[in-house]
Amino acid sequence: MDTALNSYENNDQPLLLALRALKLGDLLVAVPALRGLSRAFPEHRILYAAPAWIAEALELVGGIHHLPTPGLDDPLTVPRGAVDIAVNLHGNGAESRLRIEELQANRVVAHASNGINGPEWITGIPERERWTRLLNWHGIDADPLDYRLNHPAVPSPRPGTTVVHVGAAYGSRLWPVERFAEVAVELAAAGHEVVLTGGTSERARAEEAAALAKLKGANLDDGLLAGRQGLAEFAATIAEARLVVSADTGAAHLASAYERPSVVLFGPAPAEEWGPPPGPHVVLTAVELRRGDVFSADPDPALLAVSVRDVLDAVKALGC
């Protein structure tokens, strides 16, 4: 993957910079917009400004170069005037608008704000549609259903398994670990080969789920993958999975991107905005109980209202 330096120096291609300094799921819902930009501007070198660890995921999109950007606190590491087209896919807040303005690009693609022409920001629409709607307003063709990813370069270490993803970025999205364990036990008893996934920081949760499952006769130690996979290998595991059970995380978005059957548990985030596209996916939540505090350390009531039986019934409905 190109570094920021050789992405714009010693290269005759004009630059298009798309700012979205967020997480994996945020990248995956922006894929339709990135596809549209690639088609509309084939002569441009497209930089995606996002945290350094997202580089591996960009390889799954294809044709996009990476500009490591930890957040919005500091100006982007591109000289002023070097960018031809700047696209604000981050949001419509003052911070992202300032980072785009500092680039002094020849053309800005963004939502309407002071001095910038664009569509009005609206709430309650799917994120995939939000960003393709932005591009469409600016005369750039983009399809919200163009969300599929390239297959990872590495094979799945466990093809055909059922992925139970125990982690999430915030406490508000953490379904109780004992419920994940119970789901794993029931699915294993029904003939599923279950693997437990998560990031390095979620390894302890996966180990706890495995230990609880073992108490009920399901030994999942061989399927304890959390904290042991790079992003490409994790994506390959999802891409060739039988089924994915996950909270509203990157794992769920990967299941959508590879059209794998999934059961997605929603808490603080509205499923109507962040939920999966049409396909073999079931969303479980209790909208009437949603508190909506994404950064809370405690699970959202809408998530806690989802029972183990709800998940197992959803798996049955999917025919998995």
Side-chain angles (χ1 to χ4, degrees):
M1 182 64 64
D2 289 339
T3 64
L5 182 63
N6 63 27
S7 287
Y8 60 81
E9 292 187 354
N10 303 316
N11 195 295
D12 293 332
Q13 287 180 281
L15 285 183
L16 184 155
L17 185 145
L19 172 64
R20 194 163 174 81
L22 297 165
K23 299 181 183 297
L24 176 61
D26 302 285
L27 164 62
L28 298 181
V29 296
V31 166
L34 294 174
R35 297 263 196 242
L37 292 170
S38 294
R39 286 193 300 270
F41 303 101
E43 72 285 0
H44 282 67
R45 189 175 187 81
I46 299 178
L47 300 182
Y48 185 79
W53 60 268
I54 213 78
E56 202 171 0
L58 283 176
E59 296 178 4
L60 304 175
V61 181
I64 308 295
H65 303 275
H66 183 224
L67 182 74
T69 304
L72 300 180
D73 291 340
D74 299 307
L76 301 172
T77 57
V78 176
R80 295 192 178 203
V83 172
D84 181 40
I85 303 172
V87 185
N88 189 349
L89 297 180
H90 190 97
N92 197 37
E95 296 88 350
S96 64
R97 294 200 304 267
L98 175 60
R99 299 287 83 96
I100 292 291
E101 179 184 342
E102 290 169 340
L103 296 173
Q104 297 183 355
N106 295 320
R107 179 182 179 184
V108 172
V109 176
H111 284 86
S113 61
N114 294 337
I116 298 294
N117 291 323
E120 294 297 324
W121 181 276
I122 59 175
T123 59
I125 63 172
E127 281 291 295
R128 294 174 186 84
E129 292 183 15
R130 177 182 309 288
W131 304 112
T132 54
R133 172 179 175 269
L134 169 66
L135 267 57
N136 292 162
W137 191 97
H138 285 275
I140 303 166
D141 184 46
D143 180 357
L145 296 181
D146 189 9
Y147 55 81
R148 293 166 185 82
L149 295 175
N150 299 331
H151 199 282
V154 299
S156 170
R158 303 289 293 275
T161 53
T162 287
V163 174
V164 175
H165 189 78
V166 301
Y170 303 107
S172 61
R173 297 179 180 178
L174 288 178
W175 202 48
V177 69
E178 61 270 17
R179 298 190 199 178
F180 275 123
E182 186 66 30
V183 166
V185 167
E186 294 294 330
L187 292 178
H192 291 248
E193 183 184 352
V194 177
V195 296
L196 302 174
T197 62
T200 303
S201 63
E202 296 149 356
R203 173 76 183 180
R205 273 179 63 85
E207 290 176 338
E208 183 181 356
L212 290 170
K214 187 179 293 186
L215 290 175
K216 297 191 175 184
N219 190 343
L220 304 181
D221 289 347
D222 187 48
L224 195 53
L225 303 182
R228 293 179 174 175
Q229 293 184 301
L231 186 53
E233 192 174 26
F234 173 55
T237 303
I238 299 281
E240 298 183 39
R242 172 180 177 178
L243 169 72
V244 177
V245 178
S246 172
D248 170 31
T249 67
H253 291 293
L254 283 170
S256 295
Y258 291 116
E259 298 184 297
R260 304 316 303 149
S262 65
V263 179
V264 188
L265 288 59
F266 268 80
E272 59 271 23
E273 296 182 30
W274 292 93
H281 315 294
V282 176
V283 167
L284 298 176
T285 189
V287 175
E288 70 280 4
L289 299 179
R290 187 171 68 212
R291 187 169 56 218
D293 183 0
V294 174
F295 302 108
S296 172
D298 301 318
D300 194 280
L303 179 69
L304 291 178
V306 177
S307 69
V308 169
R309 176 46 53 190
D310 291 333
V311 173
L312 297 175
D313 288 345
V315 172
K316 184 176 180 180
L318 285 169
C320 294

